[in-house]
Amino acid sequence: MKTDLTLTNEQFQKLLAWLDTDPERAGVKYEAIRRRLIAIFLNRGCHVPEELADETINRVARKGCELMEGYQGDPARYFYGVAKKIFSEHMRKAKKRRPDPPPMVSNAELEPRLNCLDECLDALDPESRELILDYYREQKQAKIVSHKEMGKKLGINAGALRARTHRIRAKLEKCVRECLDRAGESNDIN
Amino acid sequence: MNPQNDEEVLRREYLLGRLSDQAREQVEERLLGDDDFVEKLSTTEDGLIDDYVFGTLSGNDRKSFEKNFVINDERRRKMQFAQSLDVYLDKLDGPLPSTPTEAPPWWETPLKAIRSYKFWVAVPALGLLLFFAPRIYRWLQPHDQISFVQTHRARIERQIAEFNKSNDQSSPAQELVLDPSAGLRDGGGIKRVTVPADIKTLTLKLAVPSSSEQNYRALVATVEGIEMFGIDNLKQEVESGRTFVQLKIPTEFLDTGDYQVQLGGIGPDAQLTNPVRYYFGVIK
C-alpha cells in the first residue's frame, strides 16, 4: 500500500495533546493504540499491519485541530473508524494470494535456540522454572485436568495459572531473543 | 489446550479468523478499549501456537491456523519458540534440570520414596504379581497367545474392513489429513488429534501421489512398530485437486498414543508395493 508517511512535529504533538494533556500518559496511550491497531490489522489477515497502523495514525493526525476540537468521546474509537476505512482501501489494492505457512524448522536448526532456552531457564527463579516446565509438559499432553490440579496446588484458578505462565513465557522469550542476538545467531525468519 | 469457556472460544475463533464481520468488530472494539481483554487475547494466542506445535489442534483448527494466523514474522518467531520448548521438553525427558540448591542428605531419598503414595501402591502390586506370576506365565505360553492374538486381530480387521466398505456416515467422526512422512519428526512432528468420547470414527485422509494403484492396503501399527491390523481394498479419491486414500478407524480400537500407517499397493505376493508411511497421534 502506497502511503504518505510524512507527519510534521507539530501535527504529532497535537495528536499527543489530544490523547492526554499529560505528555507522559499521552505517549503511553499512543503506544497502546498503535499496538492494538497492529493487532487488529494482523487479525484481519494483513501482512503489513505496522504500515497500516502508522497510516491510520498519520491520517488521524493530519485531520488536525478541526477534529480534535470537535470530537466527543474516546479517541481510540475514532482511530478504529479510520482503521476500518484504511483496511477497505488496502483490501481493494492488495493481492489475494496469501503466502504458504512457514515450514517447521529442523531440530538441528533449533540447537542454538535450545542452548539459549536452557540458559534462560537457568536464569529464572527455581519456582518459575518448575512452574513453566510442568505447565508445558502437561500442555503437550493436553491435560487440562492437570492444569486445574496445578492451579489448586498454587491456590489459583486455571485462568490465573495461564496468565502467570504467560508472563513467565514472555520473559523467557525475550531472554532467548537477547541470547540469540548476543550469540550472533539470526533471529530472522526464513 | 482446549478452550475453557465461551470467552476463550470467542478469542480463539477471532484469532483463527472465523468470526462474522459483526462479531469481529465487537471483538476489535474490546481490543481497543479493554486492557484485560488484550492480556487474555495474548494468552490465548500463546495457547493456540502451543497447540499447533504440540500437535493437539484439530484438523480444521490447524487449517485455519495456517491460513489466517501465521502470517507475520512475530508470530513465526513465537512458533519457533514453542517448537524449541517442545524439543527441549522432549530432551529433558522427565526430570527437570538440576536446580542450584544444596544436595539433600543421603537418608532423604529412601525416606521420600517411603512417603510417596507410589511406594504404598507398588508394594501390594508387587506381592500380587509374585502370587499370580505362575498363572500368568502359563497363560502367556506361545500357542495360546498366538492363537488368541490372531483370532482377535482377524475379528478387528473384518470389522474395520466392513466399516470402510459400508460408507456409513451416521456416527460422529473426526477427520485428520496426513501427508507421507520422510521420517519420524522430520516433517515437524506427529500430528495428534484429540478425540472426544462422543466421536466414534477417526477418518484418516492419507495423501498419496496420483498413481495407477487400483487397490491399497494399509497397515496400522504403534509408533514402536507393533502391528495392530491391516485393511485391504482401499481406493483412492480426488478432492480439491489432491489424491487421498481414506481409512476409517473406529475410535474404540485406538487408545491414547502415537501410531503409524504404512500404505501401499498390493503386490502379487501380498506384499506392499511402493509403501509410504504416515504418523499420527490420538489423545483421548
Side-chain angles (χ1 to χ4, degrees):
Chain A
M1 185 178 188
K2 205 173 175 181
T3 54
D4 178 9
L5 297 174
T6 52
L7 192 65
T8 65
N9 187 42
E10 192 192 349
Q11 285 170 325
F12 186 65
Q13 291 306 326
K14 269 187 187 158
L15 178 79
L16 289 179
W18 181 49
L19 294 176
D20 203 295
T21 48
D22 176 64
E24 205 165 307
R25 280 203 303 266
V28 172
K29 283 185 182 172
Y30 168 84
E31 277 304 323
I33 287 173
R34 184 173 183 273
R35 225 175 20 250
R36 288 163 195 205
L37 287 173
I38 290 171
I40 286 171
F41 286 123
L42 181 59
N43 288 313
R44 285 187 173 214
C46 299
H47 299 294
V48 283
E50 289 90 356
E51 204 177 292
L52 297 189
D54 289 338
E55 172 60 14
T56 304
I57 291 169
N58 288 356
R59 204 174 284 186
V60 173
R62 282 198 296 269
K63 293 268 177 191
C65 299
E66 45 175 306
L67 159 74
M68 294 160 197
E69 282 162 14
Y71 184 77
Q72 301 284 316
D74 181 2
R77 291 188 66 84
Y78 189 83
F79 279 95
Y80 182 50
V82 175
K84 283 198 281 188
K85 195 162 178 291
I86 284 185
F87 176 75
S88 306
E89 292 168 10
H90 170 74
M91 287 311 284
R92 277 198 296 274
K93 293 174 192 167
K95 287 176 185 166
K96 297 280 179 205
R97 170 91 173 87
R98 287 168 190 265
D100 292 332
M104 304 274 264
V105 291
S106 71
N107 289 3
E109 285 172 284
L110 281 178
E111 206 53 48
R113 285 168 189 276
L114 293 177
N115 293 336
C116 281
L117 183 59
D118 198 28
E119 189 184 312
C120 292
L121 278 163
D122 270 348
L124 287 178
D125 62 277
E127 196 190 332
S128 297
R129 185 176 56 181
E130 194 176 338
L131 177 71
I132 197 154
L133 289 177
D134 281 352
Y135 184 88
Y136 285 110
R137 264 199 195 101
E138 302 302 341
Q139 180 143 337
K140 266 166 75 75
Q141 313 287 327
K143 284 184 181 167
I144 302 305
V145 178
S146 303
H147 281 168
K148 283 185 181 160
E149 279 167 10
M150 278 177 74
K152 256 188 205 165
K153 224 167 85 179
L154 294 165
I156 54 178
N157 63 27
L161 175 68
R162 248 178 300 152
R164 190 181 285 185
T165 48
H166 174 67
R167 278 195 293 273
I168 300 171
R169 180 202 177 111
K171 199 170 154 187
L172 206 54
E173 258 189 87
K174 187 168 172 268
C175 173
V176 169
R177 280 183 199 184
E178 286 167 359
C179 167
L180 286 169
D181 285 344
R182 274 199 310 276
E185 286 290 338
S186 169
N187 206 10
D188 294 339
I189 306 296
N190 300 321
Chain B
M1 177 174 47
N2 292 322
Q4 305 282 292
N5 52 43
D6 291 349
E7 271 279 301
E8 174 96 21
V9 172
L10 180 76
R11 290 195 296 270
R12 281 173 86 98
E13 291 298 299
Y14 173 64
L15 291 170
L16 292 173
R18 296 196 300 216
L19 289 183
S20 66
D21 286 355
Q22 196 189 353
R24 186 186 61 194
E25 289 198 3
Q26 283 170 2
V27 169
E28 287 173 344
E29 281 178 17
R30 286 185 67 185
L31 181 54
L32 272 173
D34 182 347
D35 290 340
D36 185 47
F37 186 78
V38 174
E39 178 73 16
K40 283 181 176 159
L41 192 68
S42 174
T43 309
T44 306
E45 201 172 304
D46 280 354
L48 263 181
I49 290 170
D50 293 338
D51 287 351
Y52 181 82
V53 171
F54 297 164
T56 52
L57 266 192
S58 73
N60 284 339
D61 286 356
R62 288 187 83 83
K63 277 182 205 158
S64 300
F65 183 94
E66 287 167 358
K67 190 177 157 211
N68 301 323
F69 186 82
V70 212
I71 56 169
N72 79 337
D73 286 351
E74 180 61 21
R75 285 180 173 171
R76 287 177 194 145
R77 275 192 205 99
K78 283 185 162 211
M79 258 180 73
Q80 288 195 346
F81 178 79
Q83 207 186 336
S84 313
L85 203 55
D86 183 30
V87 175
Y88 185 87
L89 285 170
D90 280 347
K91 283 193 171 180
L92 216 54
D93 195 25
L96 296 175
S98 59
T99 42
T101 50
E102 213 174 293
W106 65 269
W107 62 83
E108 263 302 307
T109 311
L111 264 183
K112 207 171 158 187
I114 291 171
R115 278 200 296 263
S116 161
Y117 75 95
K118 286 177 189 162
F119 177 81
W120 297 105
V121 172
V123 168
L126 189 64
L128 282 173
L129 186 67
L130 286 174
F131 180 75
F132 285 111
R135 282 166 225 218
I136 293 170
Y137 176 75
R138 276 198 300 278
W139 184 70
L140 287 178
Q141 285 305 294
H143 62 280
D144 289 343
Q145 187 192 20
I146 291 169
S147 63
F148 172 77
V149 170
Q150 282 175 344
T151 314
H152 186 60
R153 176 173 166 159
R155 202 166 52 229
I156 291 176
E157 286 183 340
R158 264 200 313 277
Q159 209 173 325
I160 300 178
E162 277 166 24
F163 191 59
N164 274 275
K165 250 188 272 168
S166 72
N167 205 20
D168 173 23
Q169 293 177 344
S170 58
S171 61
Q174 191 146 344
E175 195 177 285
L176 186 62
V177 177
L178 297 175
D179 287 306
S181 176
L184 194 55
R185 290 214 167 267
D186 286 3
I190 295 177
K191 269 193 181 181
R192 293 189 180 84
V193 62
T194 303
V195 180
D198 60 324
I199 296 294
K200 302 297 176 208
T201 309
L202 179 63
T203 304
L204 299 179
K205 297 188 88 173
L206 309 168
V208 290
S210 175
S211 77
S212 57
E213 300 288 0
Q214 295 298 310
N215 287 308
Y216 285 86
R217 175 172 170 75
L219 284 173
V220 180
T222 64
V223 79
E224 295 85 9
I226 300 166
E227 214 171 284
M228 294 162 65
F229 46 81
I231 306 299
D232 291 331
N233 298 322
L234 298 167
K235 311 279 183 206
Q236 63 178 36
E237 298 165 10
V238 178
E239 193 181 307
S240 312
R242 293 190 73 189
T243 312
F244 294 99
V245 170
Q246 189 167 288
L247 171 62
K248 292 189 283 181
I249 306 174
T251 53
E252 63 181 294
F253 298 130
L254 297 168
D255 290 327
T256 294
D258 291 336
Y259 300 90
Q260 54 175 305
V261 181
Q262 243 190 304
L263 183 77
I266 307 168
D269 51 356
Q271 292 295 308
L272 285 185
T273 56
N274 307 317
V276 277
R277 207 178 288 268
Y278 306 80
Y279 291 96
F280 70 101
V282 170
I283 298 158
K284 279 186 159 176

